[in-house]
Amino acid sequence: RISSVHWLALLVAGAAAQGEVHIGEETMVEAAAAGEAELEHEYETLYVLFGFVLVGAAVMHLMKIPLLRSVPSTVIFFVLGITISAVVESGLLDGVPWFMHSYGRWVRVDPHLLLFTFLPPLLFSDAFTIDTHIAMRTFGQCLMLAGPGVVIGSFGSAAFFHYVLPYGWDPATSLMVGSILSATDPVAVVSLLKELGASPVLTMQIQGESMLNDGTAMVLFTIAYKLVSREECGSTCILAYLAKSTLGAWAMGT
């Protein structure tokens, strides 16, 4: 693929050959160098991705050491992520341009891309490995926790943010933040329960609620976001969106 800089260099060179534009040798060299740098940056984005894959493989290999078996892998990855971000923000890696360029690309990535890329495989992997017999027994409890439970938690958190915190958030903004925090993902808790031999029913209740709460939280977040962005959405619009998001999704799934 030829970049826009290369196309510009070719057009200017052709015009100069016809005597319409005269360009110096130094300018052409700079344009060519800029084009090469742009091409190099395109594949430098993969550096951080491959590096994190290697780090993840190394962590999973080190988890076989007896001293590290009791530590959940999710905690290790969380600490590593905070450490890497702190090192980058401190400026210690500013002298490594290829890493900073790749890291910057991933920091500026569209969050919707991450959501729709990683959330479906995570939900599928959890649903594929559950015990269907215990899941059917605890389905009603999981549904109550992921439906009304998340709604109560979201509005309770929104009330705390609105009336207690000194940020001056309006109710819609408080509900938007509360819906984000109400969708818990207890991966480490579920792994610990399985390792400690806890009750399968309790484990399924927590795991099943974590698989179902994302839908409720996303619906609440979308409604709160529409209110924050001042979109024209009254009670009829909200009820229509709720029906489409719940009943429509159920109809497509069945």
Side-chain angles (χ1 to χ4, degrees):
R1 188 178 65 88
I2 301 179
S3 64
S4 58
V5 178
H6 279 164
W7 280 115
L8 179 61
L10 292 175
L11 291 175
V12 172
Q18 297 175 5
E20 298 177 1
V21 177
H22 299 281
I23 187 169
E25 182 178 358
E26 295 181 357
T27 306
M28 291 296 298
V29 172
E30 293 176 358
E36 293 178 358
E38 183 179 343
L39 291 177
E40 291 177 356
H41 289 170
E42 292 180 355
Y43 63 80
E44 283 180 354
T45 308
L46 300 176
Y47 289 162
V48 168
L49 176 62
F50 290 153
F52 285 172
V53 170
L54 293 177
V55 170
V59 170
M60 298 305 295
H61 181 72
L62 293 175
M63 291 295 294
K64 298 180 180 179
I65 300 176
L67 294 177
L68 297 177
R69 287 181 179 177
S70 58
V71 182
S73 59
T74 52
V75 175
I76 297 178
F77 289 130
F78 180 74
V79 173
L80 283 176
I82 293 179
T83 303
I84 294 174
S85 298
V87 171
V88 172
E89 295 297 330
S90 64
L92 296 177
L93 298 178
D94 290 344
V96 188
W98 58 269
F99 178 83
M100 295 302 298
H101 176 79
S102 181
Y103 181 83
R105 287 288 186 89
W106 285 102
V107 169
R108 296 188 300 270
V109 71
D110 188 355
H112 296 88
L113 176 63
L114 294 180
L115 177 66
F116 294 119
T117 301
F118 291 103
L119 185 59
L122 289 174
L123 295 177
F124 176 79
S125 62
D126 287 341
F128 192 75
T129 57
I130 64 174
D131 189 336
T132 56
H133 177 68
I134 301 179
M136 293 299 296
R137 288 174 51 192
T138 60
F139 177 75
Q141 301 167 0
C142 295
L143 195 62
M144 288 294 295
L145 292 173
V150 172
V151 173
I152 295 174
S154 299
F155 280 94
S157 301
F160 176 81
F161 297 148
H162 180 65
Y163 292 107
V164 178
L165 296 184
Y167 300 138
W169 290 344
D170 57 9
T173 304
S174 301
L175 179 60
M176 186 173 62
V177 179
S179 64
I180 296 174
L181 299 179
S182 64
T184 57
D185 191 10
V187 177
V189 176
V190 172
S191 62
L192 284 177
L193 291 176
K194 292 180 179 180
E195 292 177 1
L196 297 175
S199 171
V201 176
L202 177 61
T203 303
M204 181 55 60
Q205 289 174 348
I206 298 176
Q207 186 178 7
E209 189 273 340
S210 67
M211 288 189 296
L212 299 175
N213 61 11
D214 295 314
T216 306
M218 289 184 67
V219 171
L220 290 176
F221 174 82
T222 304
I223 294 175
Y225 181 77
K226 289 179 180 293
L227 297 176
V228 171
S229 58
R230 300 294 190 271
E231 293 187 14
E232 294 294 336
C233 189
S235 58
T236 305
C237 175
I238 294 176
L239 292 177
Y241 179 77
L242 286 174
K244 182 179 67 175
S245 302
T246 55
L247 299 178
W250 175 81
M252 292 181 62
T254 55

